[in-house]
Amino acid sequence: RETEGGDDAPRLRPVDALIEVLRGGESRACEAAIEELVRHGDAAVPALTAALEDPDADVRVDARKALQRIQQG
């Protein structure tokens, strides 16, 4: 899947890979992953919803942030 803007736009990493970045815990990487998950939009919602049950509180917080940003449009 590509971002809007045609063939020159950067490709988004797969949702599952971005969820794993959230589990990595590095602040800048997590924020970048959140932004990329938001660009995935509705396609990221099932994985983010599942991440709300993650044992790591930071992952749950990041998943909630991404879901809120997706809902806000």
Side-chain angles (χ1 to χ4, degrees):
R1 182 173 165 170
E2 292 182 359
T3 58
E4 292 183 22
D7 293 335
D8 294 332
R11 293 187 181 275
L12 296 174
R13 290 176 284 176
V15 171
D16 291 342
L18 294 167
I19 296 295
E20 287 304 314
V21 172
L22 297 182
R23 291 189 177 113
E26 199 279 309
S27 181
R28 284 188 203 170
C30 289
E31 192 56 41
I34 290 169
E35 293 304 319
E36 207 166 331
L37 285 160
V38 170
R39 289 197 306 267
H40 272 285
D42 290 341
V45 169
L48 288 166
T49 301
L52 293 174
E53 302 298 323
D54 197 274
D56 185 325
D58 291 332
V59 173
R60 295 191 306 266
V61 168
D62 288 343
R64 191 172 302 112
K65 283 182 195 176
L67 285 166
Q68 288 172 342
R69 292 179 191 175
I70 289 168
Q71 291 171 348
Q72 290 171 353

XYZ file of all heavy atoms in Angstrom:
546
model
N 0.851 -1.178 0.000
C 0.000 0.000 0.000
C 0.887 1.228 0.000
O 1.880 1.291 0.692
C -0.869 -0.064 1.249
C -1.825 1.077 1.327
C -2.778 0.886 2.477
N -3.407 2.153 2.707
C -4.414 2.338 3.491
N -4.908 1.344 4.153
N -4.934 3.510 3.647
N 0.469 2.249 -0.709
C 1.243 3.487 -0.779
C 0.467 4.616 -0.135
O -0.755 4.572 -0.021
C 1.508 3.864 -2.236
C 2.424 2.913 -2.930
C 2.685 3.366 -4.359
O 2.140 4.385 -4.796
O 3.439 2.678 -5.023
N 1.207 5.636 0.255
C 0.545 6.846 0.725
C -0.002 7.574 -0.494
O 0.390 7.308 -1.619
C 1.536 7.769 1.470
O 2.616 8.086 0.598
C 2.048 7.118 2.733
N -0.900 8.494 -0.254
C -1.416 9.281 -1.368
C -0.287 10.105 -1.955
O 0.624 10.514 -1.261
C -2.536 10.202 -0.873
C -3.771 9.437 -0.455
C -4.887 10.358 -0.040
O -4.879 11.531 -0.453
O -5.764 9.909 0.685
N -0.338 10.324 -3.237
C 0.672 11.147 -3.854
C 1.349 10.455 -5.014
O 2.277 10.993 -5.583
N 0.925 9.256 -5.330
C 1.451 8.600 -6.512
C 2.643 7.717 -6.239
O 2.959 7.375 -5.108
N 3.328 7.370 -7.328
C 4.422 6.413 -7.253
C 5.639 6.937 -6.504
O 6.470 6.153 -6.061
C 4.835 5.987 -8.668
C 3.744 5.177 -9.348
O 2.936 4.570 -8.622
O 3.704 5.168 -10.584
N 5.796 8.237 -6.371
C 6.946 8.796 -5.689
C 6.774 8.812 -4.165
O 7.724 9.064 -3.438
C 7.213 10.230 -6.161
C 7.631 10.269 -7.619
O 8.212 9.270 -8.098
O 7.374 11.283 -8.266
N 5.555 8.535 -3.699
C 5.301 8.559 -2.264
C 5.922 7.328 -1.601
O 5.967 6.259 -2.197
C 3.785 8.580 -2.010
N 6.424 7.494 -0.385
C 7.026 6.343 0.304
C 5.986 5.281 0.637
O 4.842 5.601 0.938
C 7.611 6.954 1.576
C 6.881 8.225 1.774
C 6.445 8.695 0.417
N 6.414 4.037 0.569
C 5.517 2.936 0.924
C 5.438 2.819 2.437
O 6.419 3.016 3.139
C 6.020 1.625 0.334
C 5.944 1.593 -1.158
C 6.284 0.208 -1.671
N 6.239 0.176 -3.106
C 5.141 -0.021 -3.833
N 3.994 -0.207 -3.235
N 5.175 -0.040 -5.140
N 4.258 2.464 2.914
C 4.071 2.249 4.341
C 4.536 0.849 4.708
O 4.332 -0.100 3.953
C 2.591 2.399 4.706
C 1.972 3.773 4.508
C 0.479 3.714 4.763
C 2.626 4.790 5.412
N 5.145 0.725 5.868
C 5.509 -0.602 6.369
C 4.229 -1.333 6.764
O 3.223 -0.706 7.105
C 6.425 -0.475 7.579
C 7.801 0.050 7.212
C 8.653 0.246 8.430
N 8.227 1.470 9.121
C 8.720 1.898 10.260
N 9.659 1.204 10.881
N 8.301 3.022 10.802
N 4.253 -2.670 6.753
C 3.062 -3.436 7.159
C 2.649 -3.115 8.600
O 3.501 -2.843 9.459
C 3.512 -4.895 7.037
C 4.683 -4.870 6.120
C 5.341 -3.529 6.329
N 1.350 -3.173 8.839
C 0.805 -2.863 10.162
C 1.461 -3.720 11.238
O 1.860 -3.217 12.294
C -0.734 -3.030 10.166
C -1.292 -2.941 11.571
C -1.379 -1.979 9.268
N 1.586 -5.021 10.987
C 2.165 -5.907 12.005
C 3.592 -5.500 12.358
O 3.994 -5.566 13.525
C 2.140 -7.360 11.533
C 0.724 -7.922 11.468
O -0.180 -7.331 12.097
O 0.529 -8.953 10.802
N 4.354 -5.070 11.369
C 5.728 -4.632 11.628
C 5.731 -3.367 12.486
O 6.589 -3.202 13.362
C 6.467 -4.388 10.318
N 4.777 -2.493 12.256
C 4.685 -1.253 13.031
C 4.274 -1.532 14.474
O 4.760 -0.876 15.402
C 3.718 -0.280 12.361
C 4.191 0.220 10.994
C 3.053 0.901 10.262
C 5.386 1.151 11.150
N 3.408 -2.512 14.680
C 3.033 -2.902 16.043
C 4.271 -3.423 16.776
O 4.482 -3.123 17.955
C 1.911 -3.955 16.028
C 0.620 -3.380 15.407
C 1.651 -4.500 17.438
C -0.037 -2.253 16.172
N 5.109 -4.164 16.081
C 6.352 -4.656 16.695
C 7.276 -3.505 17.077
O 7.974 -3.581 18.089
C 7.060 -5.644 15.774
C 6.365 -6.978 15.688
C 6.157 -7.635 17.054
O 7.101 -7.662 17.870
O 5.038 -8.099 17.315
N 7.285 -2.439 16.284
C 8.081 -1.260 16.634
C 7.580 -0.684 17.957
O 8.381 -0.301 18.824
C 8.041 -0.196 15.515
C 8.699 1.104 15.969
C 8.704 -0.723 14.254
N 6.264 -0.643 18.135
C 5.709 -0.148 19.401
C 6.201 -0.993 20.564
O 6.459 -0.477 21.655
C 4.177 -0.157 19.368
C 3.492 0.734 18.337
C 1.979 0.638 18.497
C 3.957 2.162 18.426
N 6.333 -2.274 20.340
C 6.801 -3.178 21.402
C 8.281 -2.984 21.689
O 8.754 -3.376 22.752
C 6.509 -4.626 21.023
C 5.032 -4.934 21.045
C 4.738 -6.410 20.884
N 3.304 -6.617 20.981
C 2.538 -7.019 19.981
N 3.074 -7.311 18.806
N 1.239 -7.158 20.140
N 9.007 -2.369 20.754
C 10.430 -2.134 20.950
C 10.728 -1.079 21.989
O 11.775 -1.079 22.618
N 9.807 -0.140 22.154
C 9.885 0.817 23.235
C 10.735 2.061 23.023
O 10.744 2.928 23.877
N 11.447 2.197 21.905
C 12.270 3.387 21.686
C 11.354 4.542 21.280
O 10.592 4.440 20.324
C 13.323 3.089 20.610
C 14.492 4.047 20.601
C 14.189 5.344 19.881
O 13.717 5.282 18.747
O 14.394 6.417 20.474
N 11.430 5.630 22.001
C 10.470 6.724 21.893
C 10.291 7.270 20.476
O 9.170 7.372 19.979
C 10.873 7.843 22.840
O 9.962 8.898 22.767
N 11.372 7.653 19.823
C 11.258 8.228 18.479
C 10.702 7.218 17.478
O 9.886 7.564 16.636
C 12.609 8.717 17.979
C 13.041 10.011 18.600
C 14.273 10.523 17.920
N 14.991 11.415 18.797
C 16.184 11.865 18.575
N 16.835 11.500 17.495
N 16.755 12.691 19.414
N 11.169 5.985 17.585
C 10.687 4.944 16.673
C 9.205 4.695 16.890
O 8.445 4.511 15.928
C 11.482 3.652 16.860
N 8.771 4.710 18.147
C 7.355 4.499 18.447
C 6.501 5.630 17.893
O 5.436 5.384 17.323
C 7.134 4.355 19.951
S 7.764 2.806 20.624
N 6.951 6.855 18.052
C 6.170 7.991 17.536
C 6.063 7.920 16.017
O 4.992 8.174 15.441
C 6.783 9.312 17.978
C 5.893 10.504 17.726
C 4.509 10.419 18.360
O 4.372 9.968 19.508
O 3.539 10.814 17.677
N 7.157 7.557 15.356
C 7.121 7.403 13.897
C 6.178 6.276 13.502
O 5.431 6.395 12.522
C 8.528 7.144 13.364
N 6.188 5.180 14.265
C 5.289 4.058 13.976
C 3.831 4.471 14.158
O 2.967 4.090 13.353
C 5.630 2.867 14.868
N 3.555 5.252 15.191
C 2.188 5.740 15.410
C 1.730 6.546 14.200
O 0.627 6.357 13.687
C 2.095 6.568 16.705
C 2.250 5.672 17.924
C 0.778 7.345 16.763
C 2.444 6.429 19.230
N 2.576 7.464 13.741
C 2.206 8.289 12.589
C 1.952 7.435 11.353
O 1.011 7.686 10.587
C 3.300 9.324 12.308
C 3.432 10.369 13.387
C 2.138 11.119 13.662
O 1.417 11.464 12.703
O 1.835 11.348 14.841
N 2.770 6.420 11.159
C 2.600 5.546 10.007
C 1.326 4.702 10.142
O 0.594 4.496 9.174
C 3.831 4.644 9.867
C 4.084 4.205 8.462
C 5.466 3.615 8.268
O 6.421 4.001 8.987
O 5.579 2.762 7.383
N 1.038 4.243 11.354
C -0.208 3.500 11.588
C -1.425 4.381 11.296
O -2.408 3.918 10.715
C -0.247 2.977 13.029
C 0.664 1.781 13.305
C 0.943 1.647 14.789
C 0.049 0.513 12.736
N -1.339 5.634 11.681
C -2.438 6.570 11.395
C -2.635 6.701 9.883
O -3.765 6.737 9.398
C -2.182 7.937 12.065
C -3.175 8.985 11.594
C -2.222 7.793 13.582
N -1.545 6.739 9.124
C -1.662 6.831 7.663
C -2.294 5.574 7.065
O -2.948 5.645 6.039
C -0.302 7.114 7.033
C 0.180 8.528 7.315
C 1.295 8.985 6.386
N 2.435 8.096 6.343
C 3.526 8.205 7.089
N 3.618 9.166 7.989
N 4.520 7.354 6.946
N -2.135 4.436 7.727
C -2.814 3.213 7.288
C -4.328 3.346 7.476
O -5.099 2.691 6.789
C -2.326 1.999 8.084
C -1.126 1.325 7.515
N -1.176 0.529 6.401
C 0.162 1.313 7.928
C 0.031 0.048 6.145
N 0.867 0.519 7.057
N -4.736 4.151 8.448
C -6.156 4.392 8.683
C -6.884 3.157 9.179
O -6.372 2.406 10.009
N -8.070 2.933 8.640
C -8.940 1.851 9.098
C -8.284 0.480 8.997
O -8.617 -0.427 9.767
C -10.252 1.845 8.318
C -11.136 3.037 8.666
O -10.924 3.654 9.727
O -12.037 3.347 7.865
N -7.341 0.314 8.091
C -6.673 -0.976 7.937
C -5.856 -1.340 9.180
O -5.603 -2.517 9.436
C -5.768 -0.960 6.707
N -5.459 -0.337 9.964
C -4.663 -0.583 11.169
C -5.521 -0.832 12.402
O -5.009 -1.297 13.421
C -3.726 0.596 11.428
N -6.802 -0.544 12.330
C -7.663 -0.610 13.514
C -7.694 -1.996 14.164
O -7.558 -2.097 15.391
C -9.080 -0.075 13.191
C -10.054 -0.379 14.319
C -9.010 1.423 12.916
N -7.855 -3.095 13.420
C -7.890 -4.400 14.108
C -6.610 -4.704 14.904
O -6.688 -5.154 16.048
C -8.082 -5.401 12.968
C -8.761 -4.617 11.886
C -8.154 -3.239 11.994
N -5.454 -4.444 14.332
C -4.195 -4.710 15.036
C -4.025 -3.771 16.224
O -3.541 -4.179 17.290
C -3.013 -4.579 14.082
N -4.429 -2.515 16.064
C -4.334 -1.571 17.176
C -5.295 -1.933 18.291
O -4.960 -1.817 19.469
C -4.598 -0.142 16.683
C -3.478 0.460 15.853
C -3.965 1.718 15.144
C -2.262 0.762 16.728
N -6.462 -2.393 17.932
C -7.437 -2.825 18.936
C -6.892 -4.012 19.721
O -6.996 -4.054 20.954
C -8.776 -3.168 18.268
O -9.258 -2.003 17.579
C -9.816 -3.601 19.286
N -6.263 -4.945 19.028
C -5.644 -6.087 19.701
C -4.509 -5.617 20.611
O -4.318 -6.163 21.713
C -5.126 -7.093 18.677
N -3.765 -4.606 20.184
C -2.647 -4.089 20.982
C -3.120 -3.431 22.274
O -2.329 -3.279 23.213
C -1.818 -3.114 20.153
N -4.393 -3.067 22.351
C -4.929 -2.504 23.597
C -4.901 -3.525 24.725
O -5.028 -3.163 25.895
C -6.363 -2.007 23.385
C -6.531 -0.808 22.465
C -8.016 -0.521 22.244
C -5.815 0.415 23.009
N -4.736 -4.803 24.389
C -4.669 -5.885 25.379
C -3.227 -6.323 25.644
O -3.004 -7.305 26.349
C -5.488 -7.087 24.892
C -6.946 -6.772 24.613
C -7.700 -6.307 25.851
O -7.427 -6.830 26.948
O -8.550 -5.410 25.726
N -2.255 -5.634 25.066
C -0.845 -6.007 25.236
C -0.452 -5.925 26.712
O -0.923 -5.032 27.420
C 0.044 -5.063 24.410
C 1.433 -5.609 24.213
O 2.295 -5.401 25.093
O 1.658 -6.259 23.178
N 0.403 -6.837 27.172
C 0.831 -6.769 28.568
C 1.669 -5.527 28.899
O 1.733 -5.125 30.060
C 1.668 -8.041 28.773
C 1.812 -8.679 27.450
C 0.887 -8.023 26.488
N 2.255 -4.915 27.884
C 3.093 -3.729 28.089
C 2.215 -2.474 28.061
O 1.577 -2.171 27.049
C 4.158 -3.668 26.992
C 5.149 -2.537 27.184
O 4.754 -1.452 27.667
O 6.315 -2.724 26.811
N 2.203 -1.743 29.159
C 1.365 -0.540 29.262
C 1.725 0.498 28.209
O 0.842 1.187 27.699
C 1.474 0.069 30.658
N 3.008 0.629 27.877
C 3.418 1.611 26.868
C 2.838 1.272 25.496
O 2.441 2.169 24.745
C 4.939 1.700 26.781
C 5.554 2.333 28.017
O 4.870 3.146 28.675
O 6.713 2.014 28.318
N 2.774 -0.006 25.169
C 2.183 -0.430 23.896
C 0.697 -0.080 23.887
O 0.179 0.425 22.889
C 2.399 -1.940 23.656
C 1.642 -2.419 22.417
C 3.891 -2.250 23.524
N 0.034 -0.318 25.000
C -1.401 0.014 25.085
C -1.629 1.514 24.906
O -2.539 1.927 24.185
C -1.980 -0.467 26.416
C -1.968 -1.979 26.564
C -2.781 -2.461 27.756
N -2.424 -1.858 29.020
C -1.565 -2.374 29.896
N -0.947 -3.512 29.637
N -1.327 -1.760 31.041
N -0.786 2.319 25.531
C -0.915 3.780 25.411
C -0.692 4.216 23.965
O -1.449 5.025 23.421
C 0.073 4.495 26.368
C 0.174 5.981 26.051
C -0.349 4.292 27.808
N 0.348 3.684 23.325
C 0.633 4.051 21.937
C -0.483 3.605 21.002
O -0.864 4.345 20.084
C 1.970 3.455 21.491
C 3.162 4.145 22.136
O 2.994 5.268 22.660
O 4.261 3.562 22.110
N -1.026 2.422 21.237
C -2.140 1.933 20.413
C -3.347 2.855 20.572
O -4.009 3.206 19.587
C -2.498 0.499 20.796
N -3.610 3.267 21.799
C -4.734 4.179 22.050
C -4.524 5.511 21.339
O -5.451 6.062 20.732
C -4.894 4.384 23.562
C -6.181 5.080 23.941
C -6.419 5.100 25.454
N -6.453 3.766 26.022
C -5.510 3.268 26.855
N -4.480 3.995 27.227
N -5.628 2.050 27.334
N -3.285 6.031 21.375
C -2.979 7.287 20.673
C -3.271 7.159 19.184
O -3.890 8.039 18.583
C -1.502 7.650 20.839
C -1.111 8.225 22.148
C 0.379 8.560 22.089
C 0.957 8.817 23.432
N 2.423 9.039 23.378
N -2.790 6.079 18.593
C -2.987 5.877 17.158
C -4.471 5.752 16.829
O -4.949 6.362 15.858
C -2.223 4.642 16.677
N -5.208 4.990 17.616
C -6.640 4.829 17.372
C -7.373 6.159 17.479
O -8.245 6.468 16.652
C -7.240 3.814 18.335
C -6.922 2.366 18.031
C -7.273 1.466 19.226
C -7.666 1.904 16.778
N -7.011 6.968 18.462
C -7.659 8.275 18.626
C -7.378 9.158 17.418
O -8.273 9.849 16.922
C -7.188 8.949 19.903
C -7.743 8.310 21.147
C -7.131 8.849 22.420
O -6.060 9.468 22.412
N -7.782 8.614 23.542
N -6.149 9.143 16.926
C -5.799 9.963 15.755
C -6.513 9.483 14.510
O -6.940 10.304 13.690
C -4.290 9.971 15.550
C -3.558 10.703 16.654
C -2.066 10.679 16.440
N -1.367 11.162 17.622
C -0.067 11.169 17.745
N 0.716 10.733 16.777
N 0.490 11.598 18.861
N -6.679 8.175 14.371
C -7.421 7.643 13.219
C -8.875 8.084 13.299
O -9.466 8.511 12.296
C -7.311 6.092 13.161
C -5.887 5.698 12.761
C -8.327 5.514 12.173
C -5.591 4.212 12.947
N -9.470 8.003 14.476
C -10.876 8.397 14.657
C -11.081 9.891 14.397
O -12.129 10.294 13.904
C -11.357 8.025 16.048
C -11.483 6.535 16.250
C -11.755 6.161 17.700
O -11.639 6.990 18.601
N -12.088 4.900 17.921
N -10.079 10.693 14.717
C -10.192 12.140 14.521
C -10.082 12.510 13.039
O -10.489 13.597 12.648
C -9.094 12.875 15.296
C -9.287 12.815 16.781
C -8.104 13.358 17.554
O -7.055 13.669 16.978
N -8.242 13.471 18.860
N -9.548 11.585 12.261
C -9.423 11.825 10.822
C -8.242 12.616 10.519
O -7.833 13.291 9.769
